[in-house]
Amino acid sequence: MKTSSRLPKRALVLSGGGGRGAYHIGVLTYLESIGWKPEIIVGTSIGAVNGAALGSGLSVADLRERWLDLETADVQKMRADDVYIDNLVRRGDHVFDTTPLMATLTGRSKKWADRPWLNLSRLNGKASPYEVWITAVDFDERRLVYFGNRYGEGLTAEKIVASCSIPLWYEPTVLGGRTYVDGGTIANTPFRKAVELGATEIVVVLMAPWPGRPVRSWETKPLAMVDDELLAIPQRLWSIFEPSLDMLLTEIVWKDYRLFRAEQQLGQYADVSLHFVAPDRPLPVGLMTVYRREHHIRLFRQAEADARALLDGRLGVPSRS
């Protein structure tokens, strides 16, 4: 590893990607194995969930254990009458709603009562091990906003759900009379916030192939649809849309990265190093909206291998104890 007389300020940036968020766990496992620990975590959507869980004091092992038990019904309602009558006919602004996600995060459901994903008093207190920032989009003003656990009123479960409010798929989140949607709408991979906060060694976790890295094909069987034929209809439509969304989100962060590199060439951010971890092949279509144990295990393994291949020998001195 490189050595330096000055310890870098470390940040971990976790992209959005729904059920692909299990990929974060494999990267975290690798980072823990080499003793690399961030001071700052910046996350969007499922990255906001994982980041806030870590900021609540969960260990990587704790978070991995929760992911192994996480199912689609823990994130979104899975009844046809909810989807087609309540959400589409009556409200007309989304397909699934995230009431189950709120119950999962806060431990208000029977399944998660003894192991909530969030401990808000710790997350927003001095005992939190990380400075955590999450994104959302203020829909009324069409702008990206950040919420932090050490800033203003801190983080709430509602703000974290707001970061996950994928337009059309999930209902918008209303906070203080303002409407918020998924932060990934503008910044699915918000590494610029880490730069703004003064981080000098930044690990960025993506869940789609990074431009410039060879991409291999991944032959895989289509993901099984839900048993209810009515619920399978929006899932099929999403699966058609998902590859295009992947390309759009990747292009946004690629352009942001190229701008950052151009700024470095002009003398800005000379001490900042960015390290990207991403799969070398597109992930199976459908993983964004499906949460299943066997998929999570596969993503754990792939991400840890990707992190090892891309980060070994590239990060700085061991973290502070």
Side-chain angles (χ1 to χ4, degrees), residues 192-207:
R192 296 299 296 236
K193 183 64 175 179
V195 175
E196 175 189 317
L197 293 169
T200 54
E201 186 171 66
I202 305 170
V203 173
V204 183
V205 185
L206 301 166
M207 289 178 279

Side-chain angles (χ1 to χ4, degrees), residues 140-275:
D140 301 309
E141 294 189 2
R142 307 294 199 271
R143 66 182 180 91
L144 183 70
V145 297
Y146 287 93
F147 301 119
N149 66 331
R150 297 174 182 170
Y151 177 80
E153 298 176 355
L155 295 179
T156 64
E158 290 78 10
K159 289 175 180 177
I160 294 161
V161 171
S163 186
C164 301
S165 298
I166 304 170
L168 182 61
W169 193 255
Y170 296 136
E171 74 275 25
T173 299
V174 178
L175 301 171
R178 303 195 71 80
T179 301
Y180 295 91
V181 297
D182 195 310
T185 307
I186 293 178
N188 197 51
T189 309
F191 72 83
R192 296 299 296 236
K193 183 64 175 179
V195 175
E196 175 189 317
L197 293 169
T200 54
E201 186 171 66
I202 305 170
V203 173
V204 183
V205 185
L206 301 166
M207 289 178 279
W210 184 235
R213 186 183 181 199
V215 176
R216 294 185 287 166
S217 63
W218 185 349
E219 297 298 329
T220 183
K221 295 184 296 184
L223 298 186
M225 291 290 107
V226 294
D227 294 334
D228 191 311
E229 179 61 27
L230 286 176
L231 294 180
I233 292 171
Q235 183 64 57
R236 289 195 194 99
L237 293 173
W238 178 271
S239 295
I240 294 170
F241 171 64
E242 189 175 287
S244 298
L245 178 62
D246 254 347
M247 290 184 282
L248 173 63
L249 297 178
T250 301
E251 184 66 16
I252 290 172
V253 68
W254 177 243
K255 287 185 175 180
D256 206 12
Y257 171 71
R258 291 179 65 185
L259 174 61
F260 171 79
R261 291 291 295 142
E263 290 169 338
Q264 278 197 319
Q265 291 170 5
L266 293 174
Q268 297 184 63
Y269 314 122
D271 60 342
V272 176
S273 61
L274 289 177
H275 305 273

Side-chain angles (χ1 to χ4, degrees), residues 24-25 27 55 71 97 132 196-197 208 216 229 246 252 268 276 292 300:
H24 295 155
I25 309 306
V27 178
E71 300 171 320
D97 73 61
V132 180
E196 175 189 317
L197 293 169
R216 294 185 287 166
E229 179 61 27
D246 254 347
I252 290 172
Q268 297 184 63
F276 289 86
R292 195 169 294 158
F300 293 165

Side-chain angles (χ1 to χ4, degrees), residues 107-120:
R108 294 175 189 164
S109 69
K110 182 177 179 181
K111 176 177 177 179
W112 299 101
D114 296 328
R115 46 181 182 153
W117 291 56
L118 302 177
N119 180 332
L120 294 173

